[in-house]
Every structure is written in structure tokens, then in C-alpha cells.
Amino acid sequence: MSFSSLPLSYCTNVHPGRSVAEVEDGLDRYTLAVARAFGRPLSAGLWLARPVVNELLASEAALTRFAHGLARRGLSCHTLNAFPYGDFHGARVKEQVYLPDWSQPQRLEYTLQCAKVLATLLPAGGEGSISTLPLGFKQFDHPANFRDTAITQLIDCAQELERYRDTGRTIRLSIEPEPFCLLETTAEAIEFFAQLRQRAADVGALDAVQEHLGLCYDVCHQAVEFEDVAESIRLIDSAGIRINKVHISCALQLDRPSENREGREALRRYVEPRYLHQTLAKSSDGEIARAVDLTDAVIDHPSADFLKAPQWRVHFHVPVDAERLGPLQTTRADLKKALATVRELRYAPHLEVETYTWEVLPGAASSDLVQGLTRELAATDGLVKSL
């Protein structure tokens, strides 16, 4: 099947959005400028933090004004990023981005608030997607009933999303596997969905879960896991799990770390205090060593498993048009392979560029965000059209 006829989007979590006014300022300063430079239709992939959706839902007039504002700007919206719940541009986000998790009622409430907003922004007959965290963070302590509670809340979410079918709109939740999270590998995601479906069948909610719960496939994340992304996507599809959204993203890659001093020094420039940069290394015999974050210690004093590995990959979203960054490589080859495989699906997921790290990239102070995002979109558009 061909790709969706909907315009490409980029996720607005790349610029601050702590209030409706700040979100709209980002649209005016960046999104409209990118749309002009891109020269093709552009959809807004909105990140709306909990305080923003609270503000939008404080009155019907507030949400109506926001929807009219998008239309006036010539922007459509088909997908929301509801992974970051709070301030995604604070001094230190790191593991706090995984809170609240899917065992906590605040996560369900926030997700349903986002659905209410998206239902207003979607055109009649439109299909929308909302990405969310993969249950929680493995490094946190979780109660024994964590998974049962998360499954119950996800079933509740699916049943609530089913109600929007009466409006002629379809909204699907998209769980996004990520390194060091409770769902990080393709195998873990498939196993979880089997459990989720069994529970849904037991309570008479299987149809709602099948229709409204799926995955957000972040190509960077699965590349960091050293998965074969083409095989991963086909396994997900064979398991009957819908990929509702694809995050167009690339990771950092360091080849020959034991002898590549220049590369390791270049990697040091990506050590930064805001976001978590899970770092994995795959040995020649297939064993994978893991570090929860990229630090100076990982670079200067790597474990024996890291040092003997022929390649490291780092969860640092880097510009998707780049094949390499100085002596470092990127996983753009995996992005090409993933998109070619997505094209084989019988449906068309939403495509969203998600390089949220522009503010913390080396040399960010001298970079032009509009130019960078435009290059990413143009490169993605060219790649999609070439497949």
C-alpha cells in the first residue's frame, strides 16, 4: 500500500509548550516558517502537556478558539504526542518523563483529555493517533499488581476511545516502546499485547482494544536495541498489532569504540543534563551491554563488554537527514529500511519527524531550528517518494 495521503508532520515537542499561548507562539515562530520553507502541505504533530490540555478544556470556547487558530494558520492536526506529561523543556527531564506511568490514574485521565482535544481538531471522518509511554520505566520500583492495573486502564481507555466513533472520527492510542522501559523490544511488545487482548476478551472489550490500541514505532528506539527493523515491523504486523504512528527518527552510532578515540571524544559532546540517552553496545556474538544514560564515565571507563563491542548506539535523536555527524554515524540506513517495510502494510500509519533534541545538540546555540526542521522534512519527503 502507498503511504498516507496526509501531510507529513513534525512533533512540536521540539519547542517549549507550557501554556496554550506558548504552544501558539511556537506554531507562529517555527511551524509556519517551516511550512513556508518546506513549500508543501504540513500537518502539526502537537505535543500538548497536561497544563495545556487543562487550559484548553477549561471551557468549550477555549478549545474552539484553538481549533479555529490552527485552521486560520492553514495547519491540520491528526496526531498528538501524549508521552511527555509535564515540562519537557526543564533543566532536567531524564527519567521523570516516564511519570505518571500507566498504573496511575493521572495517565489515563490525561490521555483521555488529549483524545477530547484531538476529536475537536480532526476533520469529520478523520483518523487520529495519540502516542504514549510504554507502561513505565524498568529502573523504577513497581508494585506487584502494576501490569494488571496498567492493562485495566488501557482497556478503559480503549472503551472510551470507542465512543468517538459516534462522531465519525477514529482515535487510536499508540504505545511507544523505548529502551529501558517495560516495553522496549518487539518481543516484549508482542507478548504484552497478547496479555492485553486476553484480558480484553475476558471482559468483553476485545473489539475496542483491537481497534483503538496499537503501537507508535519509533525507528530510533528499535535501532538502538539493535533490532532488524524490517523484521520487527513484519513481526508486529503478523501479530495483528496495528502500527498507528511512525516516529521518523535516527540514533547516534559509534563504530570501533575500542580504537576510535576520535569518535569517543566526539560522543562526549552529546553528554547533556536534560534528556535520557540510553546507550547499548552489541558484541560480535550478539550479546548486548546496556547503560541507562550516556555519561563521561561510559565514554572514559567503559565496561569490558562495551569496550569489546564493535558498535555502540545511543538514544539521542539526531537530524534524520544526516548519514554521519563528524566521526560518528547515524542509523539513517535503518530509517530507510523501516519506511520501505511500512510501505508494505495494508494501511498507512501517520508519519511524524521527531527530533526533539535540537536545543541540546552540540552547537545548538548557532543552529537555525527552522532550517534544520525543513531539511529533515524535505529529506523525509524525498525518501518516502523514492520508495
Side-chain angles (χ1 to χ4, degrees):
M1 180 173 179
S2 61
F3 289 108
S4 172
S5 59
L6 295 175
L8 283 175
S9 65
Y10 79 85
C11 187
T12 63
N13 63 357
V14 67
H15 30 81
R18 303 171 183 91
S19 65
V20 173
E22 198 166 41
V23 169
E24 292 179 328
D25 179 64
L27 294 175
D28 290 333
R29 292 179 59 193
Y30 302 113
T31 312
L32 291 184
V34 170
R36 288 192 294 269
F38 184 41
R40 276 147 279 182
L42 181 66
S43 186
L46 294 176
W47 162 59
L48 303 174
R50 178 65 184 265
V52 176
V53 293
N54 285 347
E55 192 177 342
L56 287 172
L57 296 177
S59 70
E60 186 175 337
L63 183 52
T64 300
R65 278 196 303 270
F66 184 74
H68 288 170
L70 276 183
R72 187 178 64 253
R73 293 176 176 90
L75 296 171
S76 61
C77 177
H78 301 271
T79 186
L80 299 184
N81 187 337
F83 194 133
Y85 178 94
D87 185 1
F88 197 54
H89 288 261
R92 186 184 188 280
V93 177
K94 297 288 184 181
E95 71 281 352
Q96 299 307 307
V97 76
Y98 308 114
L99 295 174
D101 60 42
W102 264 103
S103 73
Q104 297 172 285
Q106 301 97 312
R107 176 58 65 174
L108 174 59
E109 182 182 35
Y110 166 58
T111 304
L112 293 177
Q113 284 181 315
C114 286
K116 187 173 183 178
V117 171
L118 184 56
T120 299
L121 302 181
L122 282 174
E127 296 190 358
S129 60
I130 301 173
S131 48
T132 189
L133 78 160
L135 307 188
F137 188 47
K138 280 180 176 173
Q139 303 295 103
F140 290 158
D141 290 329
H142 300 289
N145 66 344
F146 176 93
R147 185 162 290 219
D148 285 344
T149 304
I151 286 174
T152 296
Q153 292 213 129
L154 285 165
I155 291 172
D156 289 345
C157 184
Q159 291 176 312
E160 289 298 318
L161 295 179
E162 179 75 14
R163 300 177 191 277
Y164 289 105
R165 299 292 291 275
D166 294 339
T167 71
R169 295 163 176 84
T170 301
I171 297 178
R172 298 184 175 95
L173 187 65
S174 312
I175 298 171
E176 182 180 334
E178 181 175 313
F180 277 87
C181 288
L182 291 169
L183 303 182
E184 59 174 309
T185 66
T186 297
E188 286 173 339
I190 291 173
E191 179 187 16
F192 175 74
F193 267 81
Q195 295 172 351
L196 174 63
R197 287 169 175 169
Q198 183 58 61
R199 177 77 68 79
D202 291 343
V203 298
L206 183 58
D207 288 347
V209 165
Q210 291 277 66
E211 179 64 31
H212 297 287
L213 299 187
L215 291 179
C216 172
Y217 196 92
D218 190 303
V219 183
C220 166
H221 296 175
Q222 302 320 122
V224 169
E225 294 284 347
F226 288 95
E227 294 192 348
D228 180 322
V229 293
E231 180 185 21
S232 164
I233 291 166
R234 291 181 182 125
L235 285 171
I236 290 166
D237 187 52
S238 295
I241 303 168
R242 196 179 194 279
I243 297 174
N244 299 322
K245 180 176 181 177
V246 176
H247 271 161
I248 310 296
S249 56
C250 291
L252 269 179
Q253 179 174 300
L254 170 66
D255 291 339
R256 302 174 292 102
S258 62
E259 59 191 79
N260 189 353
R261 279 284 178 184
E262 183 186 12
R264 281 165 63 185
E265 281 305 310
L267 195 59
R268 192 186 308 280
R269 301 180 66 207
Y270 293 85
V271 175
E272 59 86 26
R274 182 179 295 174
Y275 300 118
L276 201 63
H277 301 296
Q278 301 94 313
T279 303
L280 280 67
K282 185 175 183 180
S283 67
S284 54
D285 59 6
E287 293 297 314
I288 296 179
R290 300 167 180 269
V292 71
D293 199 7
L294 179 67
T295 63
D296 287 331
V298 169
I299 295 168
D300 293 332
H301 308 290
S303 68
D305 289 340
F306 265 85
L307 203 54
K308 71 181 182 182
Q311 191 175 90
W312 297 0
R313 288 183 176 179
V314 183
H315 175 222
F316 197 123
H317 288 218
V318 292
V320 300
D321 57 312
E323 300 277 356
R324 59 185 304 120
L325 297 163
L328 299 171
Q329 287 73 43
T330 77
T331 58
R332 191 162 193 264
D334 289 75
L335 177 59
K336 294 176 181 178
K337 188 189 296 186
L339 285 174
T341 311
V342 165
R343 195 177 188 277
E344 299 172 2
L345 299 175
R346 64 195 180 283
Y347 56 89
H350 295 136
L351 302 181
E352 179 180 78
V353 173
E354 204 223 6
T355 308
Y356 59 83
T357 50
W358 279 94
E359 282 188 345
V360 297
L361 282 169
S366 60
S367 66
D368 185 299
L369 180 58
V370 170
Q371 290 182 11
L373 291 171
T374 303
R375 288 196 305 270
E376 288 193 293
L377 287 163
T380 301
D381 184 60
L383 185 54
V384 166
K385 287 177 177 176
S386 71
L387 296 172

